[in-house]
Each structure stands twice: as C-alpha cells, then as structure tokens.
Amino acid sequence: MIPYGRQWIDEDDIQAVVEVLRSDWLTTGPCVESFENAFAEQVGANYAVAVSSGTAALHAAMFALGIGPGDEVIIPAMTFAATANCVVFQGGTPVFADVEPDTLLIDPRDAEKRITSKTKAVIAVDYAGQPCDYGALKTIASRSGSGIALVDDACHALGAKYRNAPVGSIADLSAFSFHPVKHITTGEGGMITTDDEDLAQRMRIFRNHGIMTDHRQRESRGSWFYEMVDLGYNYRLTDFQCALGMSQLKKLSEWVRRRQSIAGLYDEAFKEIQSVQPLQVKKDVLHAYHLYVVRLNSENPHHDRSTIFRKLRNLGIGVNVHYVPVHLHPFYRKRFHTVPGMCPVAEKAYEQIISLPLFPGMIDADVATVIEAVRKVTI
Ligand SMILES: *Cc1c(COP(=O)(O)O)cnc(C)c1O
C-alpha cells in the first residue's frame, strides 16, 4: 500500500536524538530554545513557542488571545476537528464559515457575513498547503474595528508563501503541527509563531501549567520558588523531540520542492482525465502541498467518491478524505446545534474530494502507479 503521507527519517535525525538521550536534559533543555529560534528564523517571525502537538499550538493561541465564554471565533467548515476544538477548550463558540469551491480555502466574504459583536478571532486554515487570501482577511479583520485577531492554522503549510511572505509571518499567530504526515516531524509536536512578545510569553507560561519559570531557569538561579499565575497545561515538547525537529528543519526546502514536483506530475496527468479535477492554485502563492486533493465529478453513477475510494484502496493506493466538514460531526450538532446546509460549498465538496498519496519519499514510479490506478478506476 502506498500511504497518503509518510515521514522521512535519516541517519542524522537518529543521531541527533541519540545525542540528546545521552545528555542531562530529556525534556525542557537547550534544544527547545534552539529549535524555536531556528523555526522562527525559517518562517520570518520574531518568536516561536514549541508545544506538544498542533492541537496544543491552537489551544495556546486561543488562550493567548484570551478567548473565553461568550466569545465567537470564525473557522472554515472544511478542516480537521482540532481547529474548532481549540475554541471549545477555552469555552468559546466556533462559528463555521464556508469555503471557496475551487480551493476549499475559507471564503473571506462568507466569513465577513458571520461576524457579530462577539467575534474575537478568525482562524484561517491553509488547506492542503495553500495560503488563504490574507489580503482580504486582514482587510475584514481591521474593518470590523473591534480588534478581531487573525490566526493561521498553518498545520498544512510549513514552507508555503503568500505574496512572498512565508506562512508563519503573516497572521497574528500561526500554529504548526509536527505529526508524522506533516512537512517535518517530531513524532508528536507543534509550534506557534508570532511577532508579539506578550502573546509569546503568555504561551510559554500556558505550556508549563501556568507557571512563570521553568525547572531549568530555577535550577540556574539556585531557587525553588515559583508562582502559578494562570491555569495552564503540560504542553511541553521534549528536548530530544526538538533535536529531531532541528534536524528535520534542515531538509524542509528540499522536501517542499519534491512535494511540488510530485504535484506537477499529477497536474499534468489529470489534464487528460475530465472527471478528476485538481484543486486550483492561486497566482500569488507558493503552495507547500501537504495534500494533493482532487474533486471527482463524473456523471457516471458508478464513479462516485465512495466507489472510487474503495477501488483505489483495493489497488493498494492509500487514498484518504480530508475532511468531514466539522459542523457535521455529532459533537458539534449536539453542543452547538449545527446542521447540514450551513456551509453548502464545503458539504458538496466533501461528497467529491479524495486525497492522493503525496510525501517526499515517493519516487516517480510510485507517482506513476497512483496515476495509472486513478486512470483505471475513473475511465
Ligand atoms: C494536523 C492538524 C492539526 C492538529 O495537529 P496535531 O499535531 O495532530 O495535534 C490541526 N489542524 C490541522 C489543519 C491539521 O492538519
């Protein structure tokens, strides 16, 4: 089976981890700060805060912005559940906006319609690795006057650019994931980037139980005293994970290029298959291709998404579907009374989309195998 995504671990990654395992610091140690600094530099942000997952990164962003009961946060319907869950963790209300049909990115006009006096933030999701329309989103956020923060769920988009600005340097806060299927991995892990020192400081406290100083800082000062100033969590990323992250980060540019070249091979092949439509790529972006998503829109009733999905899996192609629109999940229907019809574009897209295998370790022959299988089941 060719999976839809897969990590790439080299001998130097293993060496980097082993070195830390032999050192004094297993969890918060010198590698955490080194990884944060390297990451901030990579994406052109002033600050980066490492946490234990992409979900923790989103949660920390909501905490830093002070999201709480009564606050509304607008998120696109077409995303992973964690984008909405982070709002609920803080007692806020996620409000679902629809997406653009050709890119499945949040539709800025639809998002604007859903703004109320309670709206505190918009979380844009760079779906599949393509940056959202940040020009339009920033205009909307500033036009509202009441200080709507712009958060980027950039879990798909490490290495992407919007009008030459790297993702991670655009929104007020940007959240990344280092799950094995993402661009770089630390097993589990995440990062938030920002240019705002206060927000960064709040998140550093949040990831460590709400305590002002960490164990290492106290040790170096020869002090036992600490104060808990906020309710936080244990969302720390370990030192050996950060060593792995630093080692992986060195290969990011090469991996993004490989992802783009695989996407180019798919694009070329699917020009000849009418019923297989790749998502559109906008002119002013550099797409990081976490996912390669196509819409299946055949007239043939035997070529519906479920059938194609099953046939491709039977041929050893590890296709997937990203995502079930979040407002259709039972939890959201029950807790927030969301219903089908609220985001018709996302709902229709959900019936037609399929994600094809895409990861830097794929060789051209793997890509050809996938293309041949798609041709076989759709023609
Ligand atoms: C992967 C992902 C997350 C969550 O990241 P984890 O590291 O798995 O917690 C959140 N949002 C999106 C869009 C993702 O793809």
Side-chain angles (χ1 to χ4, degrees):
M1 180 80 90
I2 303 176
Y4 91 86
R6 190 181 150 67
Q7 73 275 16
W8 179 323
I9 300 287
D10 287 325
E11 202 49 45
D12 59 337
D13 295 316
I14 294 167
Q15 276 314 312
V17 173
V18 168
E19 214 170 284
V20 177
L21 290 177
R22 294 189 203 283
S23 81
D24 289 340
W25 303 101
L26 284 196
T27 186
T28 311
C31 287
V32 178
E33 215 176 302
S34 307
F35 183 35
E36 289 175 339
N37 292 341
F39 196 91
E41 172 134 348
Q42 176 80 41
V43 305
N46 287 350
Y47 305 96
V49 179
V51 290
S52 54
S53 69
T55 304
L58 288 164
H59 189 184
M62 292 299 102
F63 171 82
L65 293 173
I67 301 302
D71 294 338
E72 294 178 355
V73 178
I74 296 173
I75 74 151
M78 182 55 74
T79 185
F80 183 52
T83 317
N85 295 351
C86 70
V87 180
V88 185
F89 294 158
Q90 287 298 107
T93 302
V95 172
F96 298 97
D98 214 341
V99 293
E100 299 172 334
D102 51 349
T103 61
L104 306 189
L105 297 172
I106 190 167
D107 178 343
R109 280 147 298 276
D110 192 73
E112 186 167 27
K113 282 189 211 137
R114 303 192 195 234
I115 291 176
T116 72
S117 58
K118 297 175 180 167
T119 308
K120 291 285 152 52
V122 175
I123 309 180
V125 177
D126 299 327
Y127 179 83
Q130 170 161 227
C132 297
D133 184 350
Y134 286 102
L137 291 170
K138 281 188 175 179
T139 304
I140 290 163
S142 59
R143 192 153 61 209
S144 76
S146 54
I148 295 180
L150 186 57
V151 178
D152 180 359
D153 179 342
C155 291
H156 292 187
L158 178 56
K161 286 183 181 170
Y162 173 79
R163 295 182 185 161
N164 278 326
V167 158
S169 70
I170 303 164
D172 297 311
L173 290 156
S174 304
F176 296 88
S177 163
F178 308 133
H179 181 278
V181 295
K182 305 290 166 69
H183 285 82
I184 64 169
T185 191
T186 61
E188 300 281 358
M191 191 78 82
I192 319 99
T193 59
T194 182
D195 283 344
D196 185 313
E197 190 177 0
D198 289 339
L199 293 178
Q201 183 57 16
R202 278 173 67 72
M203 295 187 292
R204 286 185 208 290
I205 292 168
F206 182 70
R207 73 171 168 195
N208 188 35
H209 308 280
I211 293 171
M212 289 288 289
T213 52
D214 67 40
H215 174 76
R216 201 159 148 259
Q217 289 167 332
R218 288 198 295 280
E219 189 134 315
S220 72
R221 287 180 206 162
S223 162
W224 52 267
F225 184 74
Y226 65 84
E227 278 180 312
M228 184 191 137
V229 293
D230 250 315
L231 184 62
Y233 293 77
N234 178 353
Y235 278 164
R236 296 185 301 259
L237 192 60
T238 66
D239 226 48
F240 55 91
Q241 287 176 293
C242 288
L244 178 55
M246 257 190 301
S247 178
Q248 291 258 301
L249 196 58
K250 292 181 190 143
K251 297 164 229 181
L252 175 66
S253 307
E254 191 190 317
W255 286 343
V256 170
R257 273 199 298 279
R258 179 61 188 153
R259 285 176 178 276
Q260 288 165 338
S261 93
I262 293 167
L265 294 172
Y266 281 149
D267 285 344
E268 201 50 41
F270 300 144
K271 277 183 189 156
E272 282 154 36
I273 310 179
Q274 274 282 309
S275 61
V276 176
Q277 293 187 338
L279 295 184
Q280 301 261 306
V281 182
K282 297 186 184 192
K283 295 250 157 0
D284 52 358
V285 304
L286 194 135
H287 195 314
Y289 283 105
H290 164 54
L291 301 174
Y292 191 89
V293 177
V294 298
R295 285 182 84 137
L296 303 167
N297 60 351
S298 171
E299 303 285 298
N300 184 337
H302 302 295
H303 285 175
D304 63 293
R305 197 269 312 279
S306 301
T307 309
I308 301 281
F309 181 95
R310 188 167 36 78
K311 285 184 173 171
L312 286 172
R313 281 281 178 100
N314 286 341
L315 289 170
I317 312 300
V319 284
N320 227 311
V321 174
H322 301 92
Y323 296 92
V324 179
V326 181
H327 67 290
L328 300 182
H329 285 302
F331 170 82
Y332 283 97
R333 293 194 195 205
K334 243 187 307 183
R335 175 84 76 92
F336 296 99
H337 311 293
T338 54
V339 290
M342 286 177 72
C343 297
V345 179
E347 291 166 31
K348 170 136 194 260
Y350 166 56
E351 302 294 332
Q352 298 182 328
I353 50 177
I354 200 160
S355 304
L356 302 178
L358 176 58
F359 52 95
M362 276 180 98
I363 56 172
D364 286 2
D366 295 328
V367 183
T369 302
V370 176
I371 291 168
E372 213 26 65
V374 171
R375 205 190 309 274
K376 193 168 161 195
V377 301
T378 56
I379 288 179

